[in-house]
Amino acid sequence: MSPSTVVVLADDLTSAADGAAPFRRSGHRALVLFAPEAHGPGVTAVDLGTRLLAEPEAAARTGEAAEAYAGADLLVKTVDSTLRGHVAAELRAALAGSGRRAAVLAPAFPTEGRTTVGGVQYVRGVRVDASEFARDPAHPVRTADLTELLPEAVLVEPGHAGSADLPRLVDSGGVFVCSAVTEADLDAVVAALPRPQDVLWVGSPGLAAALARRHTRRPADPLPELPAVRRPLTVVGSANPASRRQLAALHAESGKRGPHDTATTPPPRASVRTLHTPDERSADSSGLLDRLAGAAVEMIRERRADGLVLTGGETAAAVLVALGATGIELYDEPEPGIARGTLHGPTAPRLPVLVKAGGFGDDGTLVRLHAVLTGASAGEAEGPAAARAPGEGGHSGEAKDARAPGQGGHSGGAKDARAPGQGGYSGGAKDARGAGEGGHSGEAKDARGAGKARPAGGARPARDVRPAGEAR
């Protein structure tokens, strides 16, 4: 029987969204919230914002949330598939708070090249502690070995024998690390446990998708209505090299050759409007994020944009909270790890939004998402509309390609800018989420709206702002 209530606890916004999106695809109503509040039937994913908190505070917040949502039929705790963040501390706190007998940890996300072999985590065949993620400035990965990270854990290998043993092991309680290299391996883990409500499920979007495939809802809850979009705005706050290549591809697809003015009347086909952070480092990453969010809000309020593509967890949270949203009502998952929905909240405009972690996808991802948002075919986008951030030299009116506010205009347009405080990775980690799936790219974490208070409606005050200084 399909569970009537599913709760996903995440350490940042994109992790919450990509943890809930597979359930929307499986027929469940799904809502992503920016702070804990009462939940009803369907899927509730909560961004706890613990990625850059100190470990004791992150564990305490996670434990409190797990206790508050312990009555859910299915309880999922997301973790970064590259093992950044407080993986062990939050797992232990969530298990204790939930009252579950056992925690099943399966962090593989095969569609993005993240696999678990012999209890060791890999990214595209490289151990995460030998990858660029070991140099993450906020949460460098110290070990790829999950049994070292969780010495109390029991390792379960994929295959018939491992799946057959899992129910007996779980009945005895404890923490179980499940290796997986394919989606079929994750499906086998989920299928092996006939009472999913007895388990705290811990994993990345790969495990969420396996759970969603197992627990489909029929008939499916109706999809929310999506307003039409003619003036999409793409906001890139992630400095992950993958995001920068995707941004360059979007500009190239639109025929961008540098800043130029555009008519205030939108063309018949959706033009490309972008806001993005600069390459140069800055000591004021929180202020930069605040100005970036402010520029996006100004475009929405002036009706120069009517839909959003947001790349980077902190960027997405800052923009959406500045718009008065308390969450996102999910519509679907157009690509693995990418969520589409509408803004949720009593004062928020009902805008369509796509949310993507910085390192997810290939070079053409933003081109495809632009087409998804507008209902066009990839390749139909016209030249970029102007949206310079405040304080940037350049054009008045409907400016275009607004780099971060306060950045000087570049001749020919700076397409490849990294957010301040972020160093690029040599060689580019194409499919790696810079500082974690829910990760951080020099977007100032825990700065919902860059230090602004959260809107009313069950929201808690803004948490401390810390520059992340990493690529996401």
Side-chain angles (χ1 to χ4, degrees):
M1 183 176 69
S2 175
S4 62
T5 57
V6 179
V7 171
V8 178
L9 302 178
D11 63 358
D12 90 334
L13 176 56
T14 52
S15 291
D18 59 36
F23 289 97
R24 172 67 270 190
R25 191 175 64 234
S26 292
H28 298 264
R29 177 181 180 270
L31 183 64
V32 176
L33 297 174
F34 303 159
E37 60 183 64
H39 67 98
V43 179
T44 302
V46 185
D47 169 16
L48 298 176
T50 56
R51 180 65 63 85
L52 284 188
L53 295 182
E55 184 170 283
E57 186 180 354
R61 184 177 292 175
T62 301
E64 290 169 3
E67 183 176 2
Y69 290 109
D73 296 331
L74 197 63
L75 185 60
V76 181
K77 171 68 181 77
T78 67
V79 295
D80 176 22
S81 64
T82 61
L83 305 186
R84 267 89 43 79
H86 309 291
V87 175
E90 291 188 12
L91 182 152
R92 293 178 184 126
L95 181 58
S98 71
R100 265 46 173 189
R101 178 181 296 122
V104 172
L105 170 60
F109 190 12
T111 59
E112 285 292 318
R114 290 98 194 275
T115 57
T116 314
V117 180
V120 176
Q121 197 72 0
Y122 292 84
V123 178
R124 302 291 178 192
V126 178
R127 285 175 59 114
V128 294
D129 55 4
S131 73
E132 68 274 9
F133 299 103
R135 301 185 295 276
D136 183 288
H139 280 290
V141 178
R142 300 303 186 194
T143 180
D145 190 336
L146 289 157
T147 60
E148 182 179 333
L149 195 63
L150 293 156
E152 71 271 30
V154 175
L155 180 61
V156 179
E157 291 297 326
H160 176 72
S163 297
D165 284 344
L166 193 54
R168 174 182 58 80
L169 293 170
V170 165
D171 281 344
S172 64
V175 178
F176 302 93
V177 170
C178 297
S179 294
V181 297
T182 67
E183 290 185 348
D185 291 337
L186 293 170
D187 289 338
V189 170
V190 172
L193 296 173
R195 293 181 54 81
Q197 66 271 27
D198 293 342
V199 174
L200 173 68
W201 299 92
V202 185
S204 68
L207 180 63
L211 288 164
R213 287 191 291 269
R214 182 72 174 179
H215 301 291
T216 58
R217 178 176 175 81
R218 296 292 180 267
D221 284 331
L223 293 172
E225 181 183 354
L226 281 180
V229 175
R230 296 190 66 210
R231 298 177 295 279
L233 172 63
T234 299
V235 184
V236 179
S238 168
N240 186 285
S243 284
R244 298 299 158 161
R245 290 193 300 270
Q246 292 163 4
L247 182 62
L250 180 62
H251 288 157
E253 183 71 19
S254 71
K256 178 180 172 65
R257 291 295 181 268
H260 60 276
D261 290 321
T262 61
T264 55
T265 302
R269 292 176 292 175
S271 60
V272 173
R273 295 162 174 82
T274 62
L275 287 165
H276 64 89
T277 47
D279 242 350
E280 295 79 7
R281 291 176 178 267
S282 167
D284 184 26
S285 60
S286 62
L288 176 67
L289 181 59
D290 191 14
R291 293 191 297 275
L292 185 68
V297 170
E298 181 180 2
M299 290 189 67
I300 295 293
R301 289 177 176 165
E302 292 179 356
R303 299 186 179 181
R304 289 186 284 146
D306 58 3
L308 294 166
V309 179
L310 304 175
T311 294
E314 291 73 51
T315 298
V319 171
L320 297 181
V321 170
L323 284 166
T326 59
I328 303 170
E329 185 175 7
L330 293 188
Y331 180 84
D332 65 0
E333 185 186 32
E335 297 189 16
I338 297 171
R340 174 167 59 160
T342 55
L343 272 61
H344 172 80
T347 64
R350 225 175 145 270
L351 292 176
V353 60
L354 280 154
V355 177
K356 185 188 82 68
F360 269 13
D362 58 33
D363 290 358
T365 294
L366 286 182
V367 173
R368 295 193 301 275
L369 295 186
H370 185 277
V372 165
L373 193 61
T374 61
S377 300
E380 282 190 352
E382 289 202 0
R388 285 179 189 267
E392 184 185 4
H395 312 287
S396 61
E398 190 165 10
K400 61 195 140 297
D401 188 25
R403 293 169 204 78
Q407 182 189 7
H410 298 288
S411 166
K415 298 180 238 185
D416 239 3
R418 288 186 182 79
Q422 305 169 348
Y425 298 120
S426 65
K430 177 174 183 179
D431 284 306
R433 290 190 182 211
E437 265 102 50
H440 316 291
S441 58
E443 315 163 272
K445 177 56 177 177
D446 251 359
R448 314 276 176 158
K452 296 180 180 179
R454 291 174 179 256
R460 63 180 179 278
R463 298 183 290 271
D464 59 324
V465 177
R466 305 185 188 182
E470 69 178 282
R472 153 117 164 99

